[in-house]
């Protein structure tokens, strides 16, 4: 179900608000309120009813509701209160005003869905054409600056993937585009070769006003790239927040800071693991091994090599020896880099794929990863997925929504994780929509999609999904699918079994 207001569209199934076709970040509670208002359009809603709908089972104040109403109005450009109306002594009324053909659509507020913390987007640096090594190095610098800023609990950072897509695809003023993604500030850099080093210029700009908040020039040798990353991240943070503790920066630099060649292989391996295609994971593993040959004490390289082995091995379907080796390597990564959140996140994944008996330990390392990097979108998303596996779909969705706010142009695996959370929450149609958004589906994903359609009552779609899945692997049985589940609660497993049975998984010919 979608609702349009001028150039803004709210999709209740996907849980998104778009303006001019681009996602606008909205706080989870604000979206819940908007959805409830839309579903009850034309009816006066009392404050008690709204408090119960948005904060079920929680004691919330009228001040919380007032703030949420204010945020909702800003997110859809309704500062004039033409859509969400206050009814004195009764509550609120949501009603779309009738418009004539020559009426102008309502304008969106310039700062929709603002986060409480200032959000900054670190754009890719402009590097001289033909300098492929410099391009890799400074893409890595942007990633480390993003990661370092994420350590500060008073600064939110737009995820690297979204920031890079933003830079590649904007079609209008960059400040306006960044505003739509929720970024209060953008940091841009340009780089030129200077003898055996580089000369870089970094500018921090406030998006709403275009005012330059901070600008600085740097000259450094190629081997000083890591000191450059640390310095830029700290200077940006200091420009945004006066009371940031400089001690946090001590844990922000990559563990392997001694060998630029090793770092280049690490960056290439990480980039390949994020991509899709034949042989990319094996190529990533080759680069990670070369990184470790040159710098065996790189905690990040050990962690990402563990992740590469998990992916190549088939995640939870990997042989036990592979799962054991990945866990041990991730543990070694943490021993080398105990304050690197990504190492803790990858260790948690290795424990998750080893089975439910390891979930308590996995939960501790995900919590540690978030403590180290509270605005790391991937960690938020994977923690949300993990919450769903443990039976709390709504808590998982809240974290996934937060991740999507930080990374609106997220990689496709977010759709799978969100689908699992929606399934556990019993929202089968929305789960099916999320699973359907995966551009490439494995037999396991077709199975989950089939179960969602079946539980939602759409047998025809369910059986079409079964045929697609069995065409990929005609021998995979329902019993094997259920045996491989990572759902911790027996009730969730049973619901999936019922869905697969209704879809006719074992009875449909390939």
């Amino acid at each position: 179900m979608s609702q349009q207001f001028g150039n803004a569209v709210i999709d209740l199934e996907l849980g998104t608000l778009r303006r001019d076709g681009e996602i606008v970040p909205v706080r989870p509670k604000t979206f819940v309120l908007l959805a409830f208002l839309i579903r009850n359009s034309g009816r006066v809603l009392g404050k008690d009813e709204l408090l119960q709908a948005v904060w079920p089972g929680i004691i919330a104040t009228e001040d919380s509701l007032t703030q949420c109403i204010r945020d909702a109005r800003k997110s859809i450009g309704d500062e004039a209160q033409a859509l969400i109306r206050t009814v004195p002594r009764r509550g609120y009324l949501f009603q779309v005003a009738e418009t004539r053909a020559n009426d102008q659509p309502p304008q969106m507020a310039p700062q929709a869905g603002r986060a409480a913390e200032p959000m900054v987007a670190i754009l890719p640096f402009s590097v001289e054409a033909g300098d492929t090594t410099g391009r890799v190095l400074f893409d890595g610098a942007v990633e480390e600056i993003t990661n370092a800023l994420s350590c500060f609990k008073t600064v939110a950072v737009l995820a690297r993937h979204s920031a890079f897509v933003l830079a590649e695809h904007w079609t209008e003023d960059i400040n306006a585009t960044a505003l739509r993604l929720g970024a209060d500030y953008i940091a841009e850099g340009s780089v030129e070769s200077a003898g055996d080093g580089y000369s870089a210029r970094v500018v921090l700009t406030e998006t709403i006003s275009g005012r330059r908040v901070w600008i600085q020039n740097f000259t450094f040798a190629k081997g000083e790239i890591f000191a450059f990353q640390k310095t830029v991240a700290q200077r940006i943070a200091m420009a945004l927040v006066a009371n940031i503790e400089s001690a946090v920066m001590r844990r922000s630099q990559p563990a392997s800071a001694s060998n630029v060649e090793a770092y280049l292989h690490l960056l290439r391996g990480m980039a390949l693991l994020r991509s899709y295609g034949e042989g990319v994971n094996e190529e990533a593993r080759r680069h990670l091994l070369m990184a470790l040959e040159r710098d065996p004490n790189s905690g990040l390289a050990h962690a990402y090599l563990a992740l590469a082995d998990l992916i190549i091995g088939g995640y939870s379907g990997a042989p036990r020896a592979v799962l054991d080796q990945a866990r041990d390597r991730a543990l070694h990564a943490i021993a080398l880099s105990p304050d690197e959140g990504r190492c803790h996140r990858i260790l948690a994944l290795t424990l998750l794929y080893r089975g439910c008996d390891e979930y308590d330990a996995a939960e501790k390392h995900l919590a540690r990863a978030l403590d180290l990097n509270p605005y790391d979108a991937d960690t938020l998303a994977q923690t949300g997925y993990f919450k769903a596996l443990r039976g709390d779909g709504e808590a998982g969705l809240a974290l996934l929504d937060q991740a999507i706010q930080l990374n609106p142009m997220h990689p496709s695996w977010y759709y799978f994780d969100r689908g699992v959370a929606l399934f556990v929450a019993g929202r089968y149609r929305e789960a099916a929509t999320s699973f359907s958004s995966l551009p490439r589906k494995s037999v396991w994903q077709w199975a989950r999609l089939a179960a969602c359609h079946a539980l939602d009552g759409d047998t025809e779609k369910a059986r079409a999904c079964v045929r697609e899945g069995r065409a990929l692997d005609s021998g995979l049985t329902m019993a094997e699918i259920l045996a491989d589940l990572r759902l911790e609660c027996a009730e969730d497993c049973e619901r999936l079994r019922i869905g697969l049975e209704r879809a006719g998984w074992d009875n449909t010919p390939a």
Side-chain angles (χ1 to χ4, degrees):
M1 175 183 176
S2 297
Q3 184 78 43
Q4 183 165 0
F5 315 99
N7 59 350
V9 178
I10 293 177
D11 191 317
L12 298 182
E13 290 188 355
L14 289 179
T16 58
L17 170 63
R18 291 179 179 270
R19 186 176 64 184
D20 295 332
E22 296 187 38
I23 290 178
V24 175
V26 182
R27 292 185 179 123
K29 290 298 183 186
T30 303
F31 194 90
V32 171
L33 175 65
L34 279 169
F36 190 77
L37 289 169
I38 290 169
R39 291 188 174 107
N40 291 275
S41 179
R43 182 168 72 86
V44 176
L45 302 171
K47 293 180 180 179
D48 289 341
E49 183 178 1
L50 288 169
L51 286 168
Q52 181 58 34
V54 181
W55 293 274
I58 299 174
I59 298 175
T61 66
E62 285 192 15
D63 288 341
S64 298
L65 176 61
T66 301
Q67 179 61 44
C68 205
I69 289 286
R70 186 181 299 117
D71 289 344
R73 283 169 171 156
K74 287 179 68 177
S75 70
I76 61 174
D78 186 37
E79 275 82 359
Q81 302 183 23
L83 299 173
I84 303 175
R85 306 176 187 178
T86 302
V87 181
R89 295 182 295 281
R90 293 182 62 193
Y92 298 91
L93 170 69
F94 181 87
Q95 192 164 26
V96 180
E98 295 183 3
T99 57
R100 295 179 297 276
N102 59 350
D103 285 344
Q104 295 297 314
Q107 297 299 308
M108 290 294 292
Q111 297 189 67
R114 312 310 296 156
E117 305 84 2
M119 181 183 283
V120 60
I122 313 297
L123 302 186
F125 282 43
S126 173
V127 180
E128 292 174 313
D131 187 359
T132 55
T133 297
R135 163 55 56 205
V136 174
L137 276 176
F138 284 95
D139 281 356
V142 170
E143 175 145 353
E144 291 305 327
I145 292 167
T146 299
N147 188 57
L149 284 170
S150 295
C151 294
F152 296 95
K153 292 178 169 54
T154 45
V155 179
V157 190
L158 191 70
R160 171 194 179 280
H161 179 78
S162 288
F164 273 49
V165 174
L166 165 65
E168 290 174 6
H169 298 292
W170 77 72
T171 56
E172 56 182 282
D173 178 68
I174 184 64
N175 286 355
T177 308
L179 270 174
R180 276 205 290 276
L181 293 177
D184 301 272
Y185 301 89
I186 54 175
E188 301 171 274
S190 58
V191 180
E192 295 180 355
S193 296
D196 61 349
Y198 287 105
S199 175
R201 183 171 185 262
V202 184
V203 180
L204 181 68
T205 305
E206 186 180 51
T207 53
I208 192 168
S209 66
R211 178 176 62 91
R212 289 183 173 179
V213 176
W214 168 78
I215 182 170
Q216 189 161 347
N217 296 315
F218 300 85
T219 301
F220 53 93
K222 292 181 180 179
E224 296 173 343
I225 182 74
F226 307 105
F228 167 76
Q229 296 168 2
K230 176 182 176 180
T231 300
V232 171
Q234 191 167 34
R235 300 270 172 89
I236 290 173
M238 290 174 66
L240 291 177
V241 186
N243 62 347
I244 287 177
E245 298 178 4
S246 61
V248 180
M249 281 306 302
R250 288 198 296 270
R251 70 186 185 214
S252 68
Q253 60 181 327
S256 174
S258 60
N259 190 314
V260 172
E261 189 178 357
Y263 184 52
L264 281 168
H265 284 297
L266 169 63
L267 294 175
R268 287 171 179 143
M270 291 165 63
L272 285 163
L273 286 179
R274 290 191 178 107
S275 64
Y276 296 90
E278 189 69 29
V280 292
N281 298 316
E282 290 76 9
E283 181 67 9
R285 188 177 193 277
R286 188 177 69 83
H287 278 290
L288 293 167
L289 286 171
M290 287 192 287
L292 287 171
E293 285 177 7
R294 290 155 178 79
D295 186 356
N297 293 319
S298 170
L300 272 180
H302 279 288
Y304 277 97
L305 181 57
L307 180 60
D309 286 339
L310 277 176
I311 295 171
I312 294 167
Y315 301 98
S316 58
R320 191 67 181 187
V322 172
L323 293 171
D324 289 346
Q325 183 182 35
R327 176 204 57 195
D328 293 345
R329 190 177 288 281
L331 281 167
H332 183 57
I334 287 176
L336 292 168
S337 305
D339 290 327
E340 171 53 72
R342 288 168 288 184
C343 293
H344 286 274
R345 171 167 61 85
I346 290 171
L347 174 59
L349 290 177
T350 70
L351 295 171
L352 186 157
Y353 292 125
R354 287 169 59 82
C356 296
D357 290 345
E358 305 275 13
Y359 276 12
D360 288 343
E363 188 167 30
K364 287 183 173 63
H365 285 284
L366 283 171
R368 179 62 175 150
L370 276 181
D371 180 59
L372 290 164
N373 240 344
Y375 291 106
D376 181 79
D378 288 354
T379 301
L380 284 165
Q382 289 170 343
T383 304
Y385 172 64
F386 183 72
K387 292 278 188 187
L389 293 182
R390 303 211 80 169
D392 196 341
E394 293 297 345
L397 280 172
L399 288 167
L400 280 155
D401 287 344
Q402 192 178 347
I404 290 169
Q405 178 175 333
L406 289 173
N407 194 5
M409 301 173 189
H410 52 77
S412 60
W413 59 262
Y414 277 43
Y415 292 118
F416 176 81
D417 289 6
R418 197 167 192 275
V420 171
L422 287 163
F423 175 87
V424 171
R427 294 156 62 173
Y428 304 120
R429 184 171 300 179
E430 294 171 82
T433 299
S434 196
F435 286 132
S436 295
S437 299
L438 289 164
R440 297 172 63 182
K441 301 176 186 65
S442 69
V443 60
W444 306 92
Q445 291 160 352
W446 280 115
R448 285 171 171 79
L449 183 54
C452 289
H453 282 310
L455 290 168
D456 189 48
D458 195 331
T459 304
E460 185 177 344
K461 283 186 179 179
R463 295 196 171 161
C465 292
V466 171
R467 288 192 292 271
E468 292 282 356
R470 290 182 64 79
L472 293 174
D473 186 348
S474 60
L476 184 65
T477 66
M478 197 167 78
E480 289 172 319
I481 294 170
L482 295 170
D484 189 65
L485 286 178
R486 288 292 174 260
L487 298 170
E488 189 174 37
C489 296
E491 295 85 352
D492 295 332
C493 296
E494 177 63 11
R495 284 190 290 130
L496 186 57
R497 185 195 66 78
I498 292 170
L500 290 169
E501 190 174 73
R502 290 180 184 174
W505 185 271
D506 282 349
N507 303 320
T508 302

